[in-house]
Amino acid sequence: MAATVALGCALGGVAFAADTVKLGVSIPAATHGFTGGIVWWANQAKAELEKAHPNLKITVKTASGAPEQANQLQDLVTVTKIDSLVIFPFESAALTQPVLQAKKKNVYVTVVDRGLTDPSAQDAYIAGDNTAFGRIPAEYIAKKYNGKANIVALRGIPTTLDNERWEAFTGVLKQYPDIKILDGKYANWNRDDAFKVTQDFLTRFKDIDVVWAADDDMAFGVLKAIEQAKRTDIKEVFGGAGSKTMVKTIMDGSNPLIHADVSYSPKFIYDAIKMTAEARLKGDKLPATHIIPSALITKENAKEFYFPDSPY
């Protein structure tokens, strides 16, 4: 690749502006609402950035599982011959070595959202605030229920991201001895899995105040299970990510179990692609870590988080 010297932050001490950048984007397939938003925003970034930068070529690959994503990553490096990568790992542990192999072949790596188990495999990490994603609902529940409640919790897929959220959530609630987390189980950020996990919770626990669904798609699976079981003891289901359907429900007050949510927009994949592409075109590198803040969404501020034209 031809290069010219440019001013700015240096890669390896000297800055080079690339004549062309071949950027690979590796993301999960649109298997549920949030990843649907990821795919939509990734393709938005490709269309807008390639139009703005004729010397930028972006290849977007979607995978339905970690093995497929690892294979696609190998193809991006060996066949497409990318020099830069933005990856949203399907799973942290399974993708760490494949990403590390790409980095060893001089591919600049930006990891998004779900971190790797070995951070040395990446050049930059961009994510929502996963600590706040777990901390905010815990603080909200503790305050609203005066430090006394029975909670069941649904977790996502085993990833560093999920661990951060869970540790933040349980860390806050440890300060409230009268708040009991009856159980927490993985439901894979999947509506059907959440329905099944909730059915199990409802069978085992006869007194539940709050369900922390930790994801809006999972929250809808939880609501369906509660409705079918005709349980009336549950006061609230708290999802997560600020999907437009959930935010509209909060705005309208249309479900008595939904009162609040926490923001975590899939638009961060757009931001990550844009930041990486523009930095690479200049020969710059990104800050090692860039965290996008999360916020509590209630009826009072829901309009600020409602984007009716977005897919999620």
Side-chain angles (χ1 to χ4, degrees):
M1 176 188 301
T4 56
V5 178
L7 298 176
C9 298
L11 281 171
V14 179
F16 294 94
D19 285 345
T20 59
V21 167
K22 298 179 74 174
L23 174 64
V25 176
S26 177
I27 54 179
T31 55
H32 83 321
F34 187 79
T35 50
I38 291 288
V39 173
W40 190 84
W41 280 112
N43 285 303
Q44 284 290 110
K46 171 181 168 65
E48 293 179 18
L49 291 169
E50 286 186 340
K51 184 177 181 181
H53 304 284
N55 54 342
L56 173 66
K57 174 63 178 176
I58 298 176
T59 303
V60 178
K61 295 283 188 181
T62 63
S64 57
E68 183 181 9
Q69 190 174 27
N71 289 335
Q72 289 179 349
L73 179 55
Q74 186 175 18
D75 287 346
L76 283 170
V77 174
T78 60
V79 179
T80 309
K81 299 188 183 302
I82 60 170
D83 52 62
S84 307
L85 171 70
V86 174
I87 182 166
F88 185 120
F90 207 97
E91 295 178 11
S92 300
L95 269 300
T96 295
Q97 281 303 315
V99 173
L100 185 59
Q101 292 304 313
K103 188 168 183 287
K104 287 179 177 177
K105 294 181 179 178
N106 296 319
V107 174
Y108 183 89
V109 177
T110 299
V111 174
V112 182
D113 194 52
R114 301 175 191 172
L116 302 173
T117 55
D118 179 3
S120 72
Q122 67 200 25
D123 293 285
Y125 176 65
I126 297 176
D129 190 340
N130 288 296
T131 298
F133 189 97
R135 173 179 53 77
I136 287 172
E139 292 174 343
Y140 166 87
I141 292 166
K143 181 178 180 180
K144 184 169 182 178
Y145 296 94
N146 297 314
K148 186 176 183 179
N150 287 333
I151 300 172
V152 292
L154 287 81
R155 302 183 61 174
I157 291 173
T159 53
T160 57
L161 175 162
D162 184 76
N163 290 339
E164 290 176 26
R165 294 175 174 182
W166 179 250
E167 289 167 7
F169 183 76
T170 56
V172 170
L173 296 184
K174 284 178 182 174
Q175 304 171 47
Y176 300 90
D178 291 331
I179 291 182
K180 298 177 182 177
I181 301 177
L182 302 174
D183 200 0
K185 279 191 166 184
Y186 292 109
N188 305 314
W189 292 309
N190 179 279
R191 188 176 302 203
D192 292 338
D193 290 353
F195 175 78
K196 294 173 184 173
V197 168
T198 305
Q199 281 186 316
D200 173 64
F201 286 156
L202 296 177
T203 300
R204 292 163 52 209
F205 304 112
K206 302 303 180 186
D207 183 12
I208 299 171
D209 297 302
V210 179
V211 181
W212 182 47
D215 175 81
D216 290 342
D217 272 308
M218 292 202 295
F220 289 115
V222 170
L223 291 169
K224 184 178 179 182
I226 293 172
E227 180 183 3
Q228 286 195 2
K230 299 181 179 178
R231 289 283 290 263
T232 58
D233 52 310
I234 298 165
K235 302 176 180 66
E236 185 157 357
V237 175
F238 196 110
S243 71
K244 69 176 182 182
T245 303
M246 188 62 76
V247 174
K248 187 70 163 55
T249 300
I250 294 169
M251 289 170 59
D252 296 344
S254 56
N255 190 315
L257 291 178
I258 301 296
H259 306 290
D261 202 0
V262 60
S263 66
Y264 199 92
S265 172
K267 182 177 177 292
F268 55 50
I269 193 72
Y270 174 99
D271 297 332
I273 295 168
K274 185 173 188 294
M275 291 168 64
T276 302
E278 292 181 346
R280 292 292 289 159
L281 285 165
K282 295 176 182 175
D284 290 350
K285 61 180 181 180
L286 299 175
T289 302
H290 182 85
I291 301 298
I292 300 168
S294 288
L296 180 68
I297 303 172
T298 64
K299 191 174 181 65
E300 286 69 32
N301 67 353
K303 285 184 179 178
E304 300 173 21
F305 298 91
Y306 184 57
F307 305 103
D309 294 333
S310 75
Y312 181 76

